Structures are given as structure tokens and as C-alpha cells.
Amino acid sequence: MALSGVEIFKLLPKTNCKKCGHPTCLAFAMKLAQRQATLDACPDVSDEAKRVLGEASAPPVRPITFGSGDKAVKMGEETVLFRHEKKFVNPCAFAVEVKDTLSESEITKKIEDVLASEIDRVGQKLRIDAIAITNASGDKGKFEAAAKLVSSKAPNTPVILSTTDTAAAEAAIKLFSGKRPILYGANSSNADAMANIAKTEKAILGVTAHGLEDLSNLTEKIKALGVEDMVIDAGSVKAKDILGNNTLIRRAATKKNFKPLGYPVINFVQRDDTLLELLVAGIAVTKYSSVIVLSSIEKWKNLVLFTLRQNIYTDPQVPMQVEQKIYNIGEPKPESPLMITTNFSLTYFIVSGEVENSKVPSRLAVMDCEGLSVLTAWAAGKFTATKIAQFITESGIEKDISHKELIIPGYVAILSGSIEDKLEGWKVTVGPREANGLPAFLKARAA
Ligand code: SF4
């Protein structure tokens, strides 16, 4: 169970030396209890206190790495129920199901779709993270053959092996030795044998049960058998069960530090209707799932899910921003255009993407406005004529260009006169309001 601030205080040196950045040991203890500080900030804490507090301060949802190498996925490590308390830590992974009843060419097509799923969105690489091979045939040979195909064509992609047949599990898992697969299908009937396989192969065990009570009993039993890394499934299939069970699991783990449910959650959301599947997957993304298994990965569906995941796992207290500087797009010459915008990541990536589309080499001055978009920054007094003039002057850009023309976003056309007043000798041109108008605007100027 989590320790209270006073219990933690009793284990601290009680010298109030302030080296941890807090005025007293009690203040530090309170921060530790709220998980707003970490024990290593106190250099004088005893080994015994470290042991006791280390156990108590371990993340309530166990951190686990799924897969290996560049495509490994970190799961768990979550500490809160709501994003406004602290950010969610490890984004959920998406997997697509590959049934072993499919033909070789159908399986190959799915693997290729996974490998081609990666997109770049606002500077982050997003992809379908894993392949879930399901023993739908009930045949050990077919399961092994499907696993062989996946391991040869996508050797670096994390894999979930889904079967309740221990012989099939044993045969297939050897193909992923050292690659930290998830072996999903441990239940009350096969727990001992599945735990043994997971232990031998150092795999993550996917544990499934009917309801939370059975699930927590099963994870305790499996832990006692020596398996530490598990992903859990309360048998949630309907959307309301995914929502309800996932919430109760996260609540039990983070609010009560209830260890038997302190594991990443896996949800299977496959539906015949792909739009419905998307909606159910969306619930799983927003409500605490760590691995979501889909039946299909159409590009439009991926885009929706990637965007949702990115939003949920962005720290709401820290605006996404890029570094203030003048970015070269293409290979600009001294006479190439110079534009200005703010450093909100989304603004930067959209504007720079559209400038790139124009194929007109340019310079983009990105001004630090604390991660706000153009209109918001202007309204907040952070994107003003004085500040723009100061930024352009201090950037030293004048020595790299042969003109003194600055293109500003159309939304702040109102600033053009006052910028010209403050930037002596400069001409201010008003660009399009929306970034998607930039290619036509730049091409027309270049013509
Ligand atoms: Fe107390 Fe340790 Fe902080 Fe010093 S550094 S005030 S001993 S908690």
C-alpha cells in the first residue's frame, strides 16, 4: 500500500537540511506521498529507508518493455487517473490481428501494411506497433507457420502470440527468443504451464479472466510462480466493459496501490464494422489501455487513432513547442523569402510542411511565444510588433539575406504597419491567413 506523508517522514533523516529543494523533511515527505518528488533528491536517506520507500514509491502500474530494439514499446509506469494531475507516461501500442486461418498471401499483406504504417506527425514517428498472431485454427502447426512468416518478414516488430494451447505457445514462442513477445492466453486452467513458458522465454504473460476479482486472484498466483511482467485483460469485450473495467483497474492501481491489478491493460476491440471498431478503440485509447488489438489497419483509421493517442499522451501542462530560431527550408539563397510564425509545434510543422510543398526555398523565422499559436499569441501580447522587431534584429538574419522583407501571417495583418515602424528599412508583406495558402502565395511570387 502507498505510504502516507507522515509515514514517509518517519523514514527520512529529519535534519531539514534543504538539500532536496524543500524547506523541511516533512514538506519533502508530503511531495513524495503525492508522487510529485522522487527519493533521489535527498542525498542523505539511509539504505533501509531507500528499500522501504523504493518499494512504496514504485509506479503503481508496472513498467514493462514490450518487444526489443528500435521498435520496442514501453508500457505502464502510469501514476495518475487524470491527465490534469500529471501527464500519462507511455502511449498505448496498437497491434493488428493476424489469424493463423488466413492464407500466406493474406498474412503477408497484413505484415506489409504494418511495416508501411509509419507516418510523421508534428515531428513524431507514429505507427502500428505490433502484430497479434491468433491461434484461431486451434492447430499448433498452423499457428507456428503463421508465427514463422511474421518472424521472417517483420523480425523487428513486437509480437503478441495469442493462444490458450500451451503446446502451440511453446512451439511458436521459440521463434521470438530474446524479443520480449507477449504470450497472451494465460487463464485459470493453464496458468501454471503458461507461466513456465513465459518464465523460460522471458516473455510478458497476457493474463485473461472473467471480471476483476478472478483477474486479481490469477495475477497473484502467477506472480507467486515467478512471473513479474504481465499484461491483463478482465475479459472486456463490450465498449461499456472496456470503459468500466479499465477505469476500475487504473483506479485500484493508482489510488489504492493495489498491486494485483498494477499491470498494463490489453484490450481486444475487433469488430466486423470497422467504424465501430474505431470508436471502441478510441475508448480504449482514452481510458487506460496499454495495448489495443485491431482487426484491420486502414490508413484513415490509423490517422484517427494516432492523432487521438498523441493528444492523450501529450502533457497538457506543457505546450508543445519548437526551438526559437530561423529555419532554412530547402536551400534558401540570399534573395529567398523570409516568413515569421510562432513556436507552437503544430503551427511550425504545418507551416513548414506547406512551405516545403511550395518547393520555393525559404527561411522561416520561428519566434518563442511559449508554444502558443499565432492568434492566441497575438491576443496574449506575445506576438507583438515590438517583440517581432526585436527577434528579427537580434537574430542577425540581415547579414544572410539580400532584402529586407518580412512575410507575416494573414491573421495578424493588423501588425504590418507597426512592425515597419519598429524595423527600420523593412517592408512587411501580409501572407495568407491559413498555411495551406502558402504554396500558391510563394509560387506566385517566385514566378
Ligand atoms: Fe530532509 Fe533529505 Fe530534504 Fe535534507 S535533503 S531536508 S534530510 S529530506
Side-chain angles (χ1 to χ4, degrees):
M1 297 293 284
L3 298 179
S4 69
V6 174
E7 285 166 326
I8 295 171
F9 170 68
K10 287 179 188 163
L11 295 161
L12 293 177
K14 301 187 206 68
T15 56
N16 298 335
C17 72
K18 302 186 177 61
K19 286 186 224 162
C20 57
H22 294 85
T24 62
C25 293
L26 183 60
F28 181 59
M30 292 302 173
K31 288 285 175 195
L32 279 178
Q34 293 159 14
R35 299 185 190 282
Q36 290 174 353
T38 52
L39 190 59
D40 52 14
C42 171
D44 302 326
V45 74
S46 71
D47 287 346
E48 172 59 7
K50 266 186 205 160
R51 189 189 61 74
V52 177
L53 290 173
E55 269 172 28
S57 64
V61 182
R62 185 174 172 80
I64 296 175
T65 301
F66 167 34
S68 62
D70 284 356
K71 291 189 173 173
V73 177
K74 285 187 169 174
M75 305 185 292
E77 219 175 336
E78 305 297 339
T79 57
V80 294
L81 195 56
F82 300 112
R83 289 171 71 232
H84 58 259
E85 297 172 76
K86 205 174 173 194
K87 85 184 269 277
F88 290 173
V89 182
N90 286 316
C92 54
F94 295 117
V96 66
E97 181 182 38
V98 170
K99 289 183 179 162
D100 64 359
T101 45
L102 296 178
S103 68
E104 188 173 328
S105 61
E106 286 169 324
I107 294 177
T108 302
K109 170 77 174 63
K110 284 211 163 192
I111 296 168
E112 285 167 357
D113 287 349
V114 171
L115 296 176
S117 65
E118 185 171 289
I119 61 163
D120 190 320
R121 186 170 184 273
V122 289
Q124 291 180 12
K125 303 266 186 239
L126 310 171
R127 66 172 85 94
I128 296 294
D129 308 274
I131 296 174
I133 309 162
T134 307
N135 189 199
S137 66
D139 181 286
K140 177 183 147 194
K142 282 191 176 167
F143 190 52
E144 202 179 348
K148 214 170 257 173
L149 203 52
V150 171
S151 74
S152 67
K153 292 195 181 294
N156 302 320
T157 303
V159 159
I160 301 164
L161 293 164
S162 176
T163 183
T164 51
D165 176 346
T166 52
E170 210 156 14
I173 204 165
K174 295 200 185 326
L175 298 162
F176 303 97
S177 270
K179 293 189 173 173
R180 296 280 291 158
I182 293 175
L183 173 58
Y184 173 87
N187 56 34
S188 54
S189 318
N190 65 10
D192 294 76
M194 291 291 260
N196 256 336
I197 300 170
K199 232 171 29 174
T200 311
E201 296 296 332
K202 297 192 172 53
I204 301 152
L205 194 57
V207 180
T208 175
H210 297 296
L212 299 178
E213 203 177 325
D214 284 353
L215 184 60
S216 50
N217 290 337
L218 198 52
T219 57
E220 279 200 296
K221 175 183 170 175
I222 290 171
K223 187 169 184 222
L225 292 168
V227 176
E228 298 277 357
D229 291 339
M230 292 177 243
V231 290
I232 56 175
D233 172 14
S236 319
V237 177
K238 290 182 185 164
K240 84 172 175 46
D241 293 336
I242 290 174
L243 177 64
N245 286 334
N246 287 11
T247 305
L248 289 170
I249 288 170
R250 177 66 75 88
R251 189 183 292 274
T254 57
K255 297 289 180 199
K256 305 285 178 198
N257 209 15
F258 183 61
K259 293 293 181 194
L261 292 178
Y263 298 97
V265 169
I266 184 167
N267 289 125
F268 292 79
V269 301
Q270 301 98 314
R271 298 289 191 279
D272 291 337
D273 177 345
T274 193
L275 197 54
L276 184 61
E277 178 171 305
L278 172 67
L279 292 172
V280 181
I283 291 171
V285 173
T286 47
K287 285 295 171 189
Y288 315 129
S289 188
S290 286
V291 187
I292 299 169
V293 181
L294 305 153
S295 68
S296 63
I297 49 167
E298 298 88 344
K299 282 188 176 157
W300 63 268
K301 194 161 85 179
N302 294 354
L303 188 60
V304 174
L305 290 173
F306 292 166
T307 308
L308 179 63
R309 173 175 65 179
Q310 206 172 22
N311 285 341
I312 294 293
Y313 285 88
T314 297
D315 189 342
Q317 296 172 15
V318 181
M320 288 173 72
Q321 46 188 294
V322 293
E323 187 191 347
Q324 164 171 295
K325 66 176 190 179
I326 309 235
Y327 292 80
N328 287 347
I329 300 175
E331 288 177 15
K333 299 195 174 89
E335 63 274 21
S336 296
L338 171 67
M339 285 156 275
I340 187 163
T341 190
T342 67
N343 73 329
F344 175 41
S345 292
L346 203 55
T347 301
Y348 166 73
F349 284 106
I350 290 173
V351 171
S352 59
E354 293 294 354
V355 175
E356 245 174 80
N357 286 344
S358 77
K359 308 257 185 303
V360 177
S362 304
R363 290 182 177 83
L364 181 61
V366 173
M367 188 172 137
D368 181 3
C369 294
E370 297 173 25
L372 298 177
S373 61
V374 169
L375 266 186
T376 319
W378 171 72
K382 297 183 192 304
F383 197 53
T384 62
T386 307
K387 288 180 178 169
I388 290 171
Q390 187 186 357
F391 168 48
I392 293 296
T393 307
E394 288 176 0
S395 72
I397 188 65
E398 275 190 42
K399 64 181 180 342
D400 296 331
I401 56 178
S402 59
H403 60 83
K404 285 188 171 185
E405 184 192 19
L406 179 66
I407 301 167
I408 64 171
Y411 276 117
V412 288
I414 194 169
L415 293 178
S416 59
S418 43
I419 297 173
E420 281 182 353
D421 289 346
K422 293 185 165 50
L423 265 180
E424 213 187 313
W426 281 72
K427 175 184 166 204
V428 172
T429 299
V430 176
R433 286 163 76 97
E434 300 294 345
N436 63 10
L438 279 168
F441 173 83
L442 290 171
K443 276 185 204 154
R445 286 169 49 96

